[in-house]
Amino acid sequence: MESEKNWYVIHTYSGYENKVKANLERKVHSMGMEDEIFRVVVPMEDEVEIKDGKKKITKKKVFPGYVMVEMIVNDKSWYVVRNTPGVTGFVGSGTKPIPLTDAEIKNILKSMGIEELRQKMDIEVSQIVRITSGAFENWTAKVLEIYPERSKLKVLVDMFGRETPVELDFSQIEKV
């Protein structure tokens, strides 16, 4: 369906990914297209390099020459992206761009530390949950606040006889 927002991959000149991202974001803002073109992402991951006995972490492009765009494809949005300097085209067959699957985009964003698909959580404030990962793994906690827009929640963990507030991702908890 054309009115649905999806993630698409655009091909760019190699080395111009960040420039394309900046140009496209500027264009979207100046043309008021925030309701058609939502996010522009250059997939990056941390690379650990050891030089002179010192650990150095650098960001490395996961897919050199490609930029991901979350957008609703229509004639205007397609034209704006296609005519951004440095963009050579959409990845897809012929003239129609092919959206990434939910699984593909979720894996890419997760590897970057961005949780894309907002999880629905069937929990309520004051409910007891179990923490499934992180420093408090296997502890139970009481839900204090829920932030569905960020897929996070604040819980109270009983630590040394004191209730301590801890912010967690939805993916770090389960219902008891």
Side-chain angles (χ1 to χ4, degrees):
M1 190 149 149
E2 279 207 353
S3 65
E4 247 179 61
K5 78 175 173 182
N6 278 303
W7 282 93
Y8 296 90
V9 179
I10 51 177
H11 194 267
T12 67
Y13 295 123
S14 196
Y16 282 79
E17 300 88 355
N18 292 328
K19 211 169 270 169
V20 165
K21 174 180 170 28
N23 285 340
L24 185 52
E25 286 172 342
R26 211 174 5 261
K27 215 174 194 185
V28 165
H29 184 70
S30 70
M31 295 179 76
M33 295 190 65
E34 291 90 344
D35 56 347
E36 293 171 63
I37 301 172
F38 307 97
R39 286 191 280 174
V40 183
V41 175
V42 178
M44 305 283 263
E45 63 185 9
D46 290 339
E47 186 173 69
V48 179
E49 200 178 295
I50 297 175
K51 221 179 211 172
D52 303 325
K54 289 191 176 91
K55 197 192 279 189
K56 184 181 169 200
I57 297 174
T58 55
K59 292 275 185 200
K60 180 182 151 233
K61 291 182 184 95
V62 181
F63 307 114
Y66 295 95
V67 174
M68 298 178 345
V69 180
E70 183 183 31
M71 63 186 285
I72 295 170
V73 172
N74 57 36
D75 291 342
K76 188 178 174 190
S77 66
W78 184 89
Y79 183 84
V80 167
V81 173
R82 187 72 190 80
N83 290 291
T84 298
V87 172
T88 58
F90 279 93
V91 172
S93 58
T95 55
K96 191 158 173 56
I98 298 173
L100 290 168
T101 65
D102 286 350
E104 288 170 330
I105 192 62
K106 191 170 185 149
N107 286 338
I108 292 167
L109 293 175
K110 199 171 188 172
S111 74
M112 292 175 60
I114 304 171
E115 198 54 57
E116 155 38 20
L117 303 170
R118 296 218 172 94
Q119 298 155 309
K120 302 268 187 283
M121 247 317 143
D122 183 24
I123 47 172
E124 296 168 14
V125 172
S126 79
Q127 194 170 350
I128 303 297
V129 294
R130 181 181 326 287
I131 301 171
T132 57
S133 67
F136 301 101
E137 189 173 348
N138 295 323
W139 290 36
T140 54
K142 184 178 179 181
V143 177
L144 193 60
E145 294 175 47
I146 302 170
Y147 313 110
E149 69 288 345
R150 293 176 27 224
S151 296
K152 291 189 180 283
L153 69 162
K154 191 177 281 182
V155 297
L156 286 176
V157 176
D158 188 0
M159 197 181 329
F160 311 118
R162 277 184 147 159
E163 287 193 321
T164 306
V166 176
E167 193 171 286
L168 301 168
D169 286 331
F170 283 176
S171 62
Q172 291 180 281
I173 59 128
E174 64 185 14
K175 284 171 73 171
V176 175

